[in-house]
Amino acid sequence: MPDRLVELAHGGGGTMTAELIALIREYVGNPLLDRLEDSATLDLAGRTAFTTDSFVVSPLEFPGGDIGRLAVCGTVNDLAVVGAIPRYISLALVIEEGLPFERLGRLLSSVRAAAEEAGVVIACGDTKVVERGKADGLYINTSGLGSIPDGANVSVHNAVPGDAVLISGEIGLHGVAVLAARGGLGFASSARSDVAPLNGLLAPLVAEIDVHAMRDPTRGGCSAALHEIAGASGVSIVLDEASLPVPPVVAGACELLGTDPLEMPNEGKALVVVPEGRAARAAELLRVHPYGRAAVQIGRVTRRGPFPVTLATALGERLVEAPRGELLPRIC
Amino acid sequence: MPDRLVELAHGGGGTMTAELIALIREYVGNPLLDRLEDSATLDLAGRTAFTTDSFVVSPLEFPGGDIGRLAVCGTVNDLAVVGAIPRYISLALVIEEGLPFERLGRLLSSVRAAAEEAGVVIACGDTKVVERGKADGLYINTSGLGSIPDGANVSVHNAVPGDAVLISGEIGLHGVAVLAARGGLGFASSARSDVAPLNGLLAPLVAEIDVHAMRDPTRGGCSAALHEIAGASGVSIVLDEASLPVPPVVAGACELLGTDPLEMPNEGKALVVVPEGRAARAAELLRVHPYGRAAVQIGRVTRRGPFPVTLATALGERLVEAPRGELLPRIC
C-alpha cells in the first residue's frame, strides 16, 4: 500500500483504527502489545524509574536520525541518567491525517530498531489521528520504566564540591543537524544528530563507580542541564573552555547564529558527575563504548558561588547563562 | 497574569520553559514532581499494569468535563479495567503557542482534581510547545501504573460462554456531549459527559467477584469494546435491546445522526463480564457507588456463533457491526 494515507477515520476507534493498529503491529508488534489489553501487565520489583517525554521534532527525519529513534532514545536516556536499567516503554502516536502509511512504517521501523538496540520492550501503545495541518505528520509520546540497581543513588541533587564533571562526547550535534535540516542555517552542514540510547554506555559506570549525578543535555543543551544540577545540588560548576569537545561543524554553526555550543541540544550525550578521584576511571569506562569514545572531563563542582555555572577561559572566567529558549523550538 | 499567553520559546528548554513549568507545578506540583529528576523513582512490587493514552479532544472544554479530567480518567480507567489499583500517572503536555496561561491553569486544576479523586500521584511530566495552528490549544498524554491485586485475573481474553455482561450505567453521554459542544448536532443538547474515574467503582467488584473481563467503552463505544472482548475470548455476545440503558438525550441524538447508541463513546462506564451466578451480586456492588447507580445486565456470552455481537430485539436478533470510525474523530 505505497500510496495509502492515514485518514481521520483511522482515529475513530472502529475497524479503520484496527487497520491502523495492524500496520503498527507489523512494525513494532510483540507478545505484550499483541495481547491488546487496556494495560500491559509487567513484573517489577524494587525501585522503579518512571519518565515521560513527548516528541514534536520538525522535520520528522533529519541527518543521523528521525522522530522514531529520537522518541525511544530520549526516554531510554532519561531512565539511564538516573542510574536505571530501561526495561519497558509505551508508544503513543498522534498522527496527522494524510501521513502516508509508507512513511509511518519507515518511522516505526526506526522505533523498533532503537528499542532493540536499547533492549527495551514496547509494552503498550495508543493511536490518535488529527486533521490535516495539525501535528506536522506525527507527534510521539513515550513513557519509560526502568529498574534501579541496588546501591545506585544518582540524582541531580547529589553533586558535591570537589566532584568532576565529564561529558560523554562531542556536543551540539543534534541541534545543528536539525537546524540544518530545516534550512535554518542558511547553508549546507555535514552535522549528523548524535541521537543514541545511552543505557549501554552508562550502566557499567553506575555498576562500578559511585556516580553522583547525571543528565542528558537535550533541550537547552549543556548549559540548561548544568544549571539544573547546580541548582538542585546547591553548588556551582566551573567549566574549562579548552577541554570542551566542540566539533568544527558545531563551532561554525554557533558562530554564524551568534549562539553558544553549550546551548545546543544533544540526544546522545550524558553529563556525568563523579567524585574527583574516580574521574579518570569514569572517562576510561566511557571511552570503551562506541558512544563514549570522546568522553572527557570538562569541569568541576565547587561550593556555591555567586554564579551557578561559569567557564574558565584564557581571558578569565565568564558567566554561562541559562538559555531562555527562543533559539530552538521543536528540536525534540 | 490573566492575559499572558504561551509562546513558542516556552518550549525551548531554557528559563522560559522553567517559567512554564513553575506554572504547571503551581497546579499539579507534589513532592515527586518537585524533585525535577529526569525520571521519578517509585517502589513497585508484584504485578504492575502499564498503559498510555493521548488525548486530543476537541473542544478542550465540554459539558461535564474537559481535556484535563478526561486525560486522568482515561488512563485511570484503562488500569481499573484490567483489575489494577491505579497508583501513578505521567502528564505530558503539547501546548499550542497562544494558549492563555489562565486557561492552561484552569485545565491543570481539573487534572489535579481528577487525580485527587482517583487517588493517583502525578509522578513525572513533560512540556512541549508547538506553533499556532497546531495542537488545537492542548494535547495531553498520560501514562499510568497500577498494582494488580493477588488473585485478580481480569482480561479481555477471559470471557467464557455462560458469563453475564453488565454495563455500569447509561451509555453514550460523552459522545453526545462533545458532539453537541462542537455544534455537530445542529441543536442544543442537555447531554453532559460521563467522564469519571472508575477505580473506586470497580475495585470492590474485583476484590469480591471472579471478574472475567472488563473494558471501558470509549472510542467506538460499547460496540467496539464488545467486539474486542468477543474477538479476544473467541466467544459471541448477545445483547438484550430492552435492557440497554440509553438515556433519551442519547437516543434522540443518535436517531438524528442515523447512528447507534452502542457506537457512542463513554468515558465513565465499564462493561463487566462475570460468571452468570455472580451477575446479581455484581450489579448490587456497582449500584452502591455514585458512578454505578444505573448498572444493569445487558447481555450474555455464548459459544462463538456466526456473528461476534448480536442484539436481541422484539423483532428478532440483529447483527451489531463493529463501527468503522468516521463519525467521531477527536472525541477523546
Side-chain angles (χ1 to χ4, degrees):
Chain A
M1 45 193 169
D3 295 309
R4 190 145 185 221
L5 307 181
V6 174
E7 299 166 45
L8 208 49
H10 280 112
T15 54
M16 288 185 67
T17 296
E19 284 170 35
L20 182 61
I21 290 172
L23 173 91
I24 295 169
R25 287 172 63 190
E26 254 180 59
Y27 289 94
V28 299
N30 65 40
L32 255 177
L33 275 182
D34 291 349
R35 286 188 63 81
L36 298 176
E37 302 279 2
D38 278 314
S39 300
T41 299
L42 317 174
D43 277 301
L44 293 167
R47 285 187 302 159
T48 298
F50 181 30
T51 190
T52 191
D53 223 334
S54 295
F55 298 86
V56 298
V57 66
S58 169
L60 295 180
E61 293 164 286
F62 44 81
D66 59 34
I67 192 172
R69 181 168 172 83
L70 185 61
V72 174
C73 296
T75 285
V76 161
N77 293 347
D78 279 346
L79 295 170
V81 297
V82 300
I85 311 295
R87 294 188 56 195
Y88 299 100
I89 63 170
S90 61
L91 179 69
L93 311 175
V94 175
I95 305 173
E96 179 185 355
E97 182 186 20
L99 184 74
F101 271 44
E102 193 182 19
R103 189 170 196 201
L104 178 59
R106 195 163 66 238
L107 296 169
L108 290 170
S109 293
S110 182
V111 165
R112 178 165 66 184
E116 282 174 1
E117 184 186 348
V120 290
V121 174
I122 301 168
C124 51
D126 179 58
T127 304
K128 295 291 189 300
V129 181
V130 295
E131 296 88 347
R132 265 175 213 275
K134 318 279 182 191
D136 300 295
L138 182 63
Y139 296 158
I140 300 181
N141 176 283
T142 52
S143 295
L145 293 173
S147 307
I148 302 177
D150 288 340
N153 186 20
V154 184
S155 162
V156 288
H157 296 79
N158 291 355
V160 295
D163 281 351
V165 179
L166 290 82
I167 183 88
S168 61
E170 295 186 323
I171 66 174
L173 288 163
H174 178 73
V176 174
V178 173
L179 275 183
R182 279 183 205 165
L185 293 179
F187 64 91
S189 163
S190 62
R192 289 174 63 79
S193 170
D194 59 344
V195 56
L198 297 178
N199 51 327
L201 173 72
L202 300 178
L205 210 66
V206 174
E208 185 180 319
I209 291 178
D210 175 25
V211 176
H212 286 174
M214 295 197 283
R215 194 118 203 180
D216 53 332
T218 56
R219 274 192 301 181
C222 291
S223 171
L226 291 167
H227 272 273
E228 285 157 4
I229 294 172
S233 294
V235 296
S236 284
I237 293 172
V238 185
L239 301 175
D240 170 31
E241 188 179 43
S243 64
L244 284 180
V246 182
V249 67
V250 171
C254 287
E255 209 170 289
L256 184 95
L257 294 165
T259 186
D260 188 329
L262 287 169
E263 296 192 8
M264 272 289 159
N266 312 270
E267 291 291 345
K269 295 299 174 311
L271 288 160
V272 179
V273 179
V274 296
E276 196 172 15
R278 304 298 280 151
R281 178 62 181 152
E284 202 172 272
L285 281 171
L286 291 169
R287 287 188 201 128
V288 299
H289 193 282
Y291 294 144
R293 293 259 181 271
V296 63
Q297 181 173 349
I298 57 169
R300 61 203 157 73
V301 177
T302 66
R303 282 210 279 179
R304 173 120 222 174
F307 304 112
V309 186
T310 55
L311 185 68
T313 75
L315 304 172
E317 220 163 278
R318 82 159 171 84
L319 173 64
V320 176
E321 284 189 271
R324 270 180 57 81
E326 287 89 347
L327 180 64
L328 294 168
R330 312 289 302 277
I331 203 77
C332 61
Chain B
M1 42 192 174
D3 295 312
R4 189 144 184 223
L5 307 182
V6 174
E7 299 167 44
L8 208 50
H10 279 112
T15 54
M16 289 185 65
T17 297
E19 284 170 34
L20 182 60
I21 291 173
L23 173 91
I24 295 169
R25 287 171 64 190
E26 255 181 58
Y27 289 93
V28 299
N30 64 42
L32 255 179
L33 275 183
D34 291 349
R35 286 187 62 80
L36 297 178
E37 303 278 2
D38 278 313
S39 300
T41 299
L42 318 173
D43 278 302
L44 293 166
R47 285 187 303 158
T48 298
F50 181 30
T51 190
T52 191
D53 223 335
S54 295
F55 298 85
V56 298
V57 67
S58 169
L60 296 179
E61 293 164 286
F62 44 80
D66 58 34
I67 192 172
R69 181 168 171 83
L70 185 62
V72 174
C73 296
T75 285
V76 161
N77 293 348
D78 279 346
L79 295 171
V81 296
V82 299
I85 311 297
R87 295 189 55 195
Y88 299 101
I89 63 169
S90 61
L91 180 69
L93 311 175
V94 175
I95 305 173
E96 180 182 352
E97 181 186 21
L99 184 74
F101 271 44
E102 193 183 19
R103 189 170 195 203
L104 178 59
R106 194 162 68 237
L107 296 170
L108 289 170
S109 294
S110 181
V111 165
R112 178 164 67 185
E116 283 173 2
E117 182 185 348
V120 291
V121 174
I122 301 169
C124 52
D126 179 58
T127 305
K128 295 290 188 301
V129 181
V130 295
E131 296 88 346
R132 267 175 212 274
K134 317 282 181 188
D136 302 291
L138 181 63
Y139 297 157
I140 301 181
N141 176 282
T142 53
S143 295
L145 293 173
S147 307
I148 303 177
D150 288 339
N153 186 20
V154 183
S155 162
V156 287
H157 295 79
N158 291 355
V160 294
D163 281 351
V165 179
L166 290 81
I167 182 89
S168 62
E170 293 186 323
I171 66 174
L173 289 164
H174 178 73
V176 174
V178 173
L179 274 182
R182 280 183 203 164
L185 291 179
F187 64 92
S189 163
S190 62
R192 291 175 61 80
S193 170
D194 58 343
V195 57
L198 297 179
N199 51 327
L201 172 72
L202 300 178
L205 210 65
V206 174
E208 184 180 320
I209 291 178
D210 174 24
V211 176
H212 286 174
M214 295 197 283
R215 194 119 204 179
D216 53 332
T218 56
R219 272 191 303 182
C222 291
S223 171
L226 291 167
H227 272 273
E228 285 156 6
I229 294 172
S233 294
V235 296
S236 284
I237 293 172
V238 184
L239 301 175
D240 170 31
E241 188 178 43
S243 63
L244 284 181
V246 182
V249 68
V250 171
C254 287
E255 208 169 290
L256 184 94
L257 294 165
T259 187
D260 189 330
L262 287 170
E263 296 193 9
M264 273 289 161
N266 311 271
E267 292 290 345
K269 295 299 176 309
L271 288 160
V272 179
V273 179
V274 296
E276 196 172 16
R278 304 298 280 152
R281 178 62 182 151
E284 201 173 273
L285 281 170
L286 290 169
R287 286 188 201 127
V288 298
H289 193 282
Y291 294 144
R293 293 261 181 270
V296 62
Q297 180 173 349
I298 58 169
R300 60 201 158 75
V301 178
T302 65
R303 283 211 279 179
R304 174 120 222 172
F307 305 112
V309 186
T310 54
L311 185 68
T313 74
L315 304 172
E317 220 162 280
R318 82 158 171 85
L319 173 65
V320 177
E321 283 189 271
R324 271 180 57 80
E326 287 88 347
L327 180 64
L328 293 169
R330 313 288 303 277
I331 203 78
C332 62

